[in-house]
Amino acid sequence: MSGPEYLVEMRGIVKKFPNVVANDNVSFTLRPGEVHALLGENGAGKSTLMNILYGIYRPDAGEIWVYGKKVDIRGPRDALALGIGMVHQQFKLIPVHTVAENVILGLREQGFVINERKINNELTQLIQRYGWTISPNSRVWQLSAGEKQQVELLKALYRKVRILILDEPTSVLTPQETVALFQTLRKMASQGLGVVLITHKLEEVFSVADRVTVMRAGRNVATKNVKETNIEELVELMIGRPLLKISSTRSLDTSKPVLEASGLVVLGDKGLEAVRNVSFKLYRGEILGIAGVSGNGQTELLEAIAGLRKIMRGKVLLDGVDITNRHPQKIIDAGVSYIPAEVLRYSAPEMTVAENLVLKAYRNHLFANSLMIRWRDVNRKAEELVKAFRIVTPTITNKVANLSGGNIQRLVLARELGTLPNTKVILAAYPTRGLDIASTEQIHQELVKRAEQGVAVLLVSEELEELMALSDRIMVMYRGEIVGVLRRGEYDVEEIGLMMTGVKRAEVSA
Amino acid sequence: MIELVESVLVGAVASGTVFLLASLGETVAERAGVLNLGMEGMMIMGASLSYIFTNALGHGWAITAVLLVGAILGLLHALFTVSLRLNQVVVGLAFTVLGLGLSGLLASNEIRGRIILALNPEASPAVIASQEAAKLPPIPIPGLVNIPIIGPMIFSHNILVYISLILAGGLWFILFKTSFGLSLRSVGENPSMADALGVNVFLIRYIAMAICGALGSLAGAYLFIGYQPFWVEGMTQGRGFISLALVILATWNPLRAILGAYLFGGVEALQFRLQLVGVAAQLPYFLLMLPYIVTIVTLTLLSAESVRKRIGVPAALGVPYSRE
Ligand SMILES: Nc1ncnc2c1ncn2[C@@H]1O[C@H](COP(=O)(O)OP(=O)(O)OP(=O)(O)O)[C@@H](O)[C@H]1O
Ligand SMILES: [Mg+2]
């Protein structure tokens, strides 16, 4: 292949935020035709490094060379002009616009009147080339997370980018969608693009990447050829120790359920039924997993139980007491804690870490008398939780908006698991989304520990591995209904995968 | 009976055009993410200026002046809300209060007289003193006007009515079929994203507000020279606010705004006819109250997240954008 050896070369990049050095003399290279994985714990500085390449941040020191030329990237516009595209974890799409509209927005070559026919043809060709099924005319809000990601990729492809950055692209995908994405990435690489894949999942490194760079505390500690390394070495590089295995010896008491839902019907945002006639019992010390492609009513179900969404029909009993449609505060007080799917929406980004940590518990006598909050106690608790949940933040008075993705997740987990007294039920939606492997391990242990202490856990996840490792039973949800329930010992990836697409249990086994 | 129906339909278009022009302007602004609660003020300024300018220089100059001043008012609004990022509700209401006061001042005998004389030293004392102005002449479209019902309803009016219909179609095309329209709508949905892709958020919002101000004032000019050409202070009577509600009813779509505008116009026309025959004497009080009710309901609806999602409010409506 002719041309420069590297598409991108970043040398000695330094980026400081108030009180944090997010990138400390980092070097990074990207070759044409490679998928380059970027690994590292939460807060290691991966997103910052790539945001610098994409022009969102400007480095305090260091040089960026693209196609063998030194460049100065002042904003995403400059990056796009250089052929650099980025797919963020939070999709940057306009939901009410069509796929085509999202793709062509901001393209100067369009002329005044949009040539819909021509654009649709070109997009259809690209879509077919990658074996996707989206239509240029669908509205983005109608698409699944995986399809939205295809729109983001389409945006990059249509702009003919040669360098593509993906920030934790698989955290919102189903296993099938992940496989499809990786095929796409390989295809792009085979056409000479350079792809950067930020991820926490080691399997992904081995299934798709050619090289891997590991970051730790703002520095790059190693770059390896994937063929010449192994999981153990990468774990060691990332966290400095091997991983533990989860084991739990729990005995369930199935005489009386803690939480009992019967015939729940809940509406989604668009006013359609998102949860249809869902009934289940959750016992003391049980972890009940809910499997399903996201968007099949799981989030709405948890929100309804937590009192954040109206239950149209049906009943929720907590220890025999009716909590259907009670005020969220009452439900919190009754011992229900809720780990939401969108952590940013359920935190106050402009407030401090300490304030966010006690957002639910500040009324409690531990932190307040009848009139005043006792900030000394709040701060002490905050310091304690920051340590226990390993939240990477310079001070507890740091704004939450400044934390890295994984650290906001950790903060919400600390709030839900660490501040509320006498928790009986934990509703957990994707609790390990965006967490690095060490933190994931820690949260798994925390949930198991709680279960051993008798707390009942309702766990929504898209990671079958996670569900199968933790759950005593797994319920599969599809289009708002429970398709079937499996007990520990009956788990089978294929079967659950099929049920997630709506195939009923009996049909599966028959 | 048929005659009553026909006269109400004709009246619906005649009075509905005020709503149509204003809501077209507001649609453009809101699609770009700017809520212009100053519509009422811009409208009454248009009415007052068209009164003064028509008597001084005639219809052509009046319309030109109104468009110009309206655009400047819109740009001023943008200066406060887009560049200085002040609260759009507060700025808008300030423009309304300002417009209501300033229009009355300009149209007061003393000052109006001086302006007219300055513009046209030959103006006769009778014209200067007049509380009225020449109405725009109707231009029936030959042939089309003879179609039963539709003919007189649509094709028997003055030039501004036809222009408003052409504008509705044109704005629809621009908003939904051109790259400028796509950029404008994207700015109203997600300005930071549009910015990252190379769209000039500030420029687009200024343009949108200039259009909004110009059309809002034109609506006022139509109200005066096209509909009831005698000056009464505060003669817009809340029509600007009703237009705001109309924008929502029409779900930010210029073509649907036509239907809504004529519906509201029809209510007004019907009210006149009924009053003439002595029915429903209390109706005027109810109608006077309507704009304020409509405004409260509108603002309440716009602030409820679930409603916003369902009716498709531009996601960034009312939110100032700052680059970080
Ligand atoms: N805008 C900002 N202001 C202040 N500090 C920031 C800002 N962005 C990131 N940081 C800090 O810089 C460090 C690196 O953050 P970065 O987002 O790059 O981490 P990451 O490796 O992507 O982590 P994760 O896996 O959790 O997403 C973190 O300590 C974070 O708190
Ligand atoms: Mg990150």
Side-chain angles (χ1 to χ4, degrees):
Chain A
M1 185 166 276
S2 64
E5 184 189 358
Y6 295 122
L7 286 176
V8 175
E9 213 181 335
M10 301 175 83
R11 297 182 192 157
I13 301 289
V14 177
K15 177 70 193 175
K16 295 181 182 139
F17 292 112
N19 303 316
V20 199
V21 184
N23 284 167
D24 185 3
N25 198 13
V26 180
S27 301
F28 178 82
T29 56
L30 181 67
R31 292 188 182 133
E34 78 166 343
V35 175
H36 193 141
L38 194 52
L39 268 180
E41 299 204 85
N42 296 129
K46 308 176 295 293
S47 299
T48 304
L49 184 68
M50 287 303 125
N51 281 335
I52 287 173
L53 181 55
Y54 189 57
I56 292 177
Y57 296 138
R58 306 202 62 186
D60 299 319
E63 295 178 350
I64 304 175
W65 295 65
V66 176
Y67 315 131
K69 276 203 218 72
K70 194 174 164 204
V71 293
D72 181 22
I73 304 173
R74 289 154 186 256
R77 275 186 236 192
D78 290 354
L80 283 169
L82 280 169
I84 303 173
M86 181 159 177
V87 179
H88 292 85
Q89 210 176 336
Q90 250 90 33
F91 297 134
K92 307 228 165 186
L93 297 171
I94 297 179
V96 297
H97 288 183
T98 64
V99 170
E101 286 177 331
N102 270 285
V103 170
I104 62 171
L105 175 63
L107 277 179
R108 296 243 179 272
E109 310 78 83
Q110 282 312 313
F112 186 67
V113 178
I114 297 171
N115 188 341
E116 275 177 47
R117 174 94 65 69
K118 173 169 156 274
I119 291 162
N120 281 358
N121 282 342
E122 289 169 352
L123 290 182
T124 311
Q125 266 174 23
L126 274 174
I127 289 169
Q128 278 169 356
R129 171 152 13 126
Y130 285 95
W132 296 331
T133 50
I134 47 176
S135 142
N137 293 318
S138 350
R139 306 255 157 208
V140 166
W141 62 263
Q142 298 168 320
L143 305 180
S144 72
E147 290 171 328
K148 284 184 189 144
Q149 192 169 63
Q150 292 170 0
V151 181
E152 288 279 17
L153 295 172
L154 206 52
K155 235 159 96 177
L157 290 168
Y158 195 73
R159 284 174 166 73
K160 307 222 164 39
V161 304
R162 290 176 59 194
I163 297 154
L164 181 65
I165 308 161
L166 299 109
D167 195 348
E168 299 186 31
T170 59
S171 57
V172 292
L173 300 187
T174 61
Q176 290 89 334
E177 285 172 328
T178 303
V179 171
L181 171 70
F182 286 173
Q183 279 168 359
T184 304
L185 297 186
R186 286 307 335 169
K187 200 161 195 168
M188 289 175 167
S190 71
Q191 290 168 357
L193 271 77
V195 179
V196 182
L197 175 75
I198 301 181
T199 181
H200 291 297
K201 297 175 194 157
L202 292 166
E203 327 79 78
E204 296 184 353
V205 175
F206 290 94
S207 62
V208 72
D210 303 297
R211 286 198 300 159
V212 50
T213 292
V214 180
M215 289 186 72
R216 195 153 130 199
R219 296 158 186 269
N220 52 323
V221 289
T223 299
K224 304 252 166 195
N225 282 324
V226 170
K227 288 210 185 76
E228 292 157 15
T229 183
N230 55 46
I231 293 205
E232 288 72 28
E233 186 186 18
L234 291 181
V235 170
E236 195 69 47
L237 284 169
M238 243 163 77
I239 61 176
R241 62 171 174 82
L243 274 181
L244 309 168
K245 268 258 165 268
I246 309 167
S247 65
S248 168
T249 44
R250 272 170 291 152
S251 52
L252 287 184
D253 168 13
T254 53
S255 56
K256 222 174 98 225
V258 186
L259 188 77
E260 186 173 357
S262 45
L264 292 189
V265 175
V266 180
L267 301 187
D269 284 343
K270 298 273 170 203
L272 305 173
E273 282 186 7
V275 175
R276 301 181 197 178
N277 199 18
V278 165
S279 308
F280 63 88
K281 290 185 174 130
L282 178 62
Y283 299 99
R284 238 181 87 82
E286 182 186 36
I287 300 182
L288 173 58
I290 303 184
V293 178
S294 76
N296 275 286
Q298 303 96 315
T299 317
E300 287 86 351
L301 175 63
L302 295 205
E303 283 178 356
I305 298 173
L308 300 170
R309 194 178 274 279
K310 195 166 173 226
I311 296 171
M312 308 306 288
R313 251 179 294 138
K315 242 191 201 162
V316 184
L317 303 180
L318 182 72
D319 275 340
V321 181
D322 192 343
I323 57 162
T324 318
N325 289 330
R326 298 290 298 275
H327 189 276
Q329 179 68 46
K330 291 267 156 46
I331 298 179
I332 294 170
D333 291 344
V336 177
S337 90
Y338 172 50
I339 299 164
E342 300 162 84
V343 284
L344 205 51
R345 242 188 89 195
Y346 288 89
S347 51
E350 295 302 315
M351 286 167 69
T352 69
V353 169
E355 285 166 341
N356 268 277
L357 280 170
V358 294
L359 219 46
K360 273 197 174 167
Y362 69 91
R363 294 185 195 80
N364 193 287
H365 64 89
L366 290 173
F367 304 117
N369 54 36
S370 52
L371 211 57
M372 312 269 275
I373 294 180
R374 287 195 305 275
W375 287 105
R376 280 236 318 276
D377 294 331
V378 169
N379 291 343
R380 189 174 320 125
K381 184 72 182 179
E383 296 282 5
E384 188 185 300
L385 288 171
V386 162
K387 226 174 259 130
F389 284 83
R390 307 189 316 132
I391 302 169
V392 181
T393 174
T395 62
I396 55 165
T397 51
N398 190 15
K399 271 201 312 189
V400 165
N402 292 341
L403 298 188
S404 81
N407 280 301
I408 298 176
Q409 181 80 27
R410 288 172 176 172
L411 174 126
V412 169
L413 287 163
R415 182 182 77 204
E416 298 300 327
L417 300 177
T419 64
L420 304 169
N422 49 51
T423 304
K424 288 181 192 154
V425 175
I426 297 172
L427 309 172
Y430 314 100
T432 58
R433 200 181 250 184
L435 289 187
D436 58 45
I437 46 176
S439 311
T440 302
E441 175 192 54
Q442 184 193 355
I443 295 309
H444 286 170
Q445 278 166 350
E446 186 71 29
L447 290 176
V448 169
K449 192 178 93 197
R450 291 308 179 90
E452 280 167 357
Q453 292 164 355
V455 176
V457 180
L458 194 57
L459 173 68
V460 173
S461 173
E462 278 179 338
E463 309 269 339
L464 291 186
E465 301 269 330
E466 175 172 69
L467 286 173
M468 297 195 298
L470 297 178
S471 317
D472 301 288
R473 284 181 299 154
I474 295 180
M475 251 171 10
V476 185
M477 262 184 105
Y478 177 72
R479 300 227 168 129
E481 288 178 76
I482 307 273
V483 192
V485 185
L486 295 90
R487 304 180 172 281
R488 187 182 283 284
E490 309 172 335
Y491 297 163
D492 176 83
V493 181
E494 297 259 305
E495 182 176 357
I496 299 178
L498 270 177
M499 286 164 74
M500 281 165 68
T501 62
V503 182
K504 289 251 167 21
R505 182 96 210 275
E507 301 166 30
V508 175
S509 33
Chain B
M1 191 60 202
I2 291 277
E3 261 154 49
L4 177 71
V5 170
E6 194 175 289
S7 92
V8 168
L9 287 179
V10 174
V13 174
S15 59
T17 299
V18 182
F19 300 125
L20 179 56
L21 284 166
S23 57
L24 287 178
E26 185 72 22
T27 298
V28 173
E30 293 192 12
R31 279 281 183 181
V34 188
L35 178 68
N36 177 19
L37 281 185
M39 183 49 83
E40 182 80 16
M42 298 181 181
M43 191 186 265
I44 189 80
M45 282 299 290
S48 151
L49 288 174
S50 68
Y51 167 37
I52 301 170
F53 272 76
T54 301
N55 280 342
L57 301 168
H59 287 139
W61 283 109
I63 291 173
T64 313
V66 162
L67 287 174
L68 215 71
V69 173
I72 292 172
L73 286 173
L75 291 174
L76 267 176
H77 185 287
L79 174 70
F80 290 124
T81 55
V82 177
S83 294
L84 301 177
R85 295 195 290 278
L86 300 179
N87 183 306
Q88 296 183 4
V89 172
V90 175
V91 171
L93 291 176
F95 266 73
T96 288
V97 174
L98 178 83
L100 287 170
L102 190 59
S103 62
L105 183 70
L106 292 177
S108 67
N109 290 332
E110 165 89 29
I111 297 193
R112 185 183 75 245
R114 283 198 212 162
I115 300 177
I116 295 181
L117 273 179
L119 291 169
N120 179 4
E122 274 123 63
S124 72
V127 167
I128 293 172
S130 168
Q131 294 295 310
E132 298 176 36
K135 200 173 172 181
L136 281 172
I139 310 174
I141 311 272
L144 293 176
V145 75
N146 299 328
I147 305 170
I149 303 199
I150 303 284
M153 180 181 164
I154 309 274
F155 299 110
S156 68
H157 296 274
N158 61 49
I159 182 91
L160 285 182
V161 174
Y162 305 137
I163 288 182
S164 71
L165 284 168
I166 294 168
L167 273 172
L171 286 175
W172 178 85
F173 186 83
I174 288 180
L175 279 179
F176 296 105
K177 298 288 162 191
T178 68
S179 44
F180 172 75
L182 175 60
S183 298
L184 189 144
R185 285 183 292 130
S186 305
V187 164
E189 290 290 338
N190 189 341
S192 64
M193 196 199 93
D195 190 14
L197 291 175
V199 175
N200 189 334
V201 175
F202 296 94
L203 180 67
I204 286 204
R205 288 196 165 167
Y206 268 91
I207 295 176
M209 273 314 297
I211 295 175
C212 176
L215 292 184
S217 297
L218 187 64
Y222 171 83
L223 174 66
F224 187 82
I225 51 177
Y227 185 57
Q228 51 178 54
F230 38 88
W231 174 254
V232 185
E233 231 186 286
M235 68 185 289
T236 45
Q237 289 191 319
R239 285 185 176 87
F241 285 112
I242 292 183
S243 307
L244 292 183
L246 192 58
V247 172
I248 298 170
L249 263 186
T251 57
W252 295 268
N253 183 327
L255 292 181
R256 265 181 234 143
I258 300 178
L259 288 181
Y262 293 168
L263 186 74
F264 280 31
V267 172
E268 209 179 280
L270 188 65
Q271 176 216 348
F272 278 136
R273 306 303 187 278
L274 290 180
Q275 265 176 301
L276 284 183
V277 287
V279 188
Q282 295 84 353
L283 208 58
Y285 297 105
F286 178 74
L287 287 178
L288 279 177
M289 191 175 71
L290 208 56
Y292 304 102
I293 295 183
V294 160
T295 314
I296 293 170
V297 172
T298 310
L299 289 177
T300 314
L301 283 181
L302 284 183
S303 62
E305 199 188 333
S306 58
V307 179
R308 286 180 79 114
K309 269 189 189 153
R310 204 161 311 160
I311 62 176
V313 186
L317 180 57
V319 189
Y321 174 61
S322 70
R323 214 172 188 181
E324 281 188 285

